[in-house]
Amino acid sequence: MRDDPGVTALVKRARDGDQEAWNALVDRFAPLVWSVCRRHDLSRADAEEAGSNVWLRLVEGLGSLREPAALPGWLVTVTRRECLRVVSGRRGQVLVADDRFPGEDGLAADAEVLKQEQYLALREAFAGLSDRCRRLLTLLFSEPRPSYTEISDRLDMRVGGIGPTRLRCLDALRRSAPLAPYVTAPEA
Amino acid sequence: MAEQWESDEELLADLRAALQAEAEVPAWFSETGKAALEWRGLDGELATLTEDSATTAPAGARAEPASLRSLTFTGREVTIGIEVDADELHGQIAPPRAGEIEVRPRRGPVRRLPVDELGWFAIRPKPAGAFRLCFTSAGGHVVLTEWTTV
């Protein structure tokens, strides 16, 4: 994943104690931390303990973080370890003491990390779409999927306009900066 | 890099999964994370768990009821070791120094206990649920452990 100037700026501000910037970082990465916790099937108390320690380590590590691009990989690794640890109070697991921020290549092969990075990029790309696109796409994948007539009513859009708008929105998504690493540039 | 999404359907499916992962995060989970920045304001040294006998003992030995669980929290300058008894904790600050130790549970009142010149302290009864220890030396140096449960 490329270095995100937005994340770099948030990390700098959070390092100086800016609560708003820290909240934005937590909102951005909480789905990643949570999805890893969920996979370990923890109770609420255990998830709270594991999650707390992940954020605590991140707060502590903000000063030494050089590559925000390595953050998703680091978070997945630390969360896995914290989850195993809360479970290991009861059962045996191996502790890994090393939680320095790794370079990008050290974790590049990890499928979970790659997926989480992709999800982050998708959420960011989606947030950058127009309001109209976000509403249309949200309706298109809601369950049960509303009919085109319903969508037309809800968005005040001609039925005939839904298809082309959908195409335009997906095109905008593919061409957005956050998805650039995942999409081949169109032939000139 | 190869095109990740061959079709719009694949792109939509992944987008949907990504947004769903975000919607599934419980509010309390995010709140816990946001509160973490306050801990930085304590301006102390963070001691992270580096050894836990419950996780390092060989498989056969763990069931021994007589063996005490011991945990070690390591900070930059100070190490806090604790042994877990049936109903109490014994701890030591290394290198030894006197001061005060606080038991901070996630909910409920904070307990303050003395630490003697040899760095020893005892916590009775042992904390129920997750807690952190906060050691303040006589000289005012603060060391805070991660969350743990014993």
Side-chain angles (χ1 to χ4, degrees):
Chain A
M1 199 164 96
R2 90 226 127 85
D3 251 328
D4 187 319
V7 173
T8 309
L10 289 175
V11 167
K12 279 202 183 108
R13 284 168 53 200
R15 203 180 279 170
D16 297 334
D18 184 331
Q19 182 73 51
E20 215 176 293
W22 172 253
N23 289 356
L25 282 174
V26 171
D27 282 334
R28 184 185 184 98
F29 294 111
L32 181 158
V33 177
W34 175 249
S35 74
V36 176
C37 282
R38 248 182 57 139
R39 206 149 309 125
H40 288 82
D41 200 24
L42 305 181
S43 68
R44 170 170 170 165
D46 283 350
E48 202 171 3
E49 182 179 330
S52 295
N53 282 338
V54 172
W55 301 116
L56 192 56
R57 281 174 185 249
L58 181 57
V59 167
E60 189 71 10
L62 283 175
S64 59
L65 177 62
R66 297 279 168 268
E67 277 183 280
L71 208 42
W74 183 83
L75 280 169
V76 169
T77 309
V78 171
T79 308
R80 274 185 196 143
R81 196 178 61 237
E82 292 297 330
C83 291
L84 290 175
R85 202 173 86 179
V86 292
V87 176
S88 74
R90 280 72 87 181
R91 277 177 275 141
Q93 292 292 345
V94 180
L95 276 181
V96 186
D98 184 10
D99 67 336
R100 288 168 303 162
F101 290 105
E104 272 184 275
D105 36 19
L107 290 155
D110 190 314
E112 168 93 37
V113 174
L114 292 177
K115 195 187 85 182
Q116 293 295 344
E117 284 177 347
Q118 194 188 67
Y119 280 4
L120 273 166
L122 280 164
R123 284 193 290 268
E124 207 192 332
F126 182 77
L129 291 180
S130 69
D131 188 45
R132 196 173 175 78
C133 280
R134 276 181 289 142
R135 288 172 63 200
L136 174 63
L137 294 181
T138 306
L139 284 176
L140 285 175
F141 48 59
S142 52
E143 295 277 0
R145 188 164 157 171
S147 69
Y148 269 34
T149 321
E150 269 175 86
I151 295 176
S152 155
D153 282 349
R154 302 259 285 271
L155 299 184
D156 196 20
M157 185 187 286
R158 286 181 307 107
V159 169
I162 294 174
T165 308
R166 173 182 185 270
L167 271 179
R168 267 201 305 280
C169 295
L170 288 175
D171 191 45
L173 199 67
R174 285 182 194 273
R175 282 186 291 107
S176 67
L179 292 194
Y182 300 100
V183 180
T184 328
E187 299 288 325
Chain B
M1 183 187 268
E3 171 70 54
Q4 197 84 37
W5 299 284
E6 298 277 333
S7 69
D8 286 350
E9 275 59 43
E10 284 170 341
L11 176 59
L12 271 174
D14 275 349
L15 176 64
R16 183 186 173 178
L19 295 176
Q20 196 163 352
E22 187 174 42
E24 277 170 0
V25 180
W28 58 261
F29 192 78
S30 306
E31 292 314 311
T32 307
K34 289 171 185 174
L37 195 65
E38 291 167 21
W39 306 334
R40 186 182 171 83
L42 292 165
D43 202 26
E45 176 183 336
L46 179 71
T48 55
L49 186 66
T50 47
E51 265 180 67
D52 181 347
S53 62
T55 66
T56 49
R62 219 173 308 117
E64 295 280 328
S67 67
L68 297 178
R69 180 176 172 201
S70 60
L71 300 104
T72 306
F73 296 93
T74 307
R76 283 191 306 276
E77 295 173 27
V78 173
T79 297
I80 302 179
I82 54 175
E83 282 198 339
V84 187
D85 212 331
D87 46 22
E88 57 188 34
L89 299 183
H90 291 278
Q92 191 179 22
I93 308 294
R97 52 182 86 176
E100 194 180 62
I101 196 129
E102 281 180 4
V103 185
R104 304 181 172 201
R106 199 174 287 284
R107 290 170 198 86
V110 172
R111 278 192 279 167
R112 271 185 202 85
L113 301 154
V115 177
D116 70 19
E117 299 76 46
L118 296 174
W120 292 101
F121 60 91
I123 301 168
R124 319 185 175 81
K126 71 178 185 186
F131 67 96
R132 306 178 74 184
L133 295 177
C134 180
F135 170 69
T136 308
S137 73
H141 185 71
V142 177
V143 186
L144 198 58
T145 69
E146 291 184 285
W147 290 97
T148 195
T149 309
V150 294

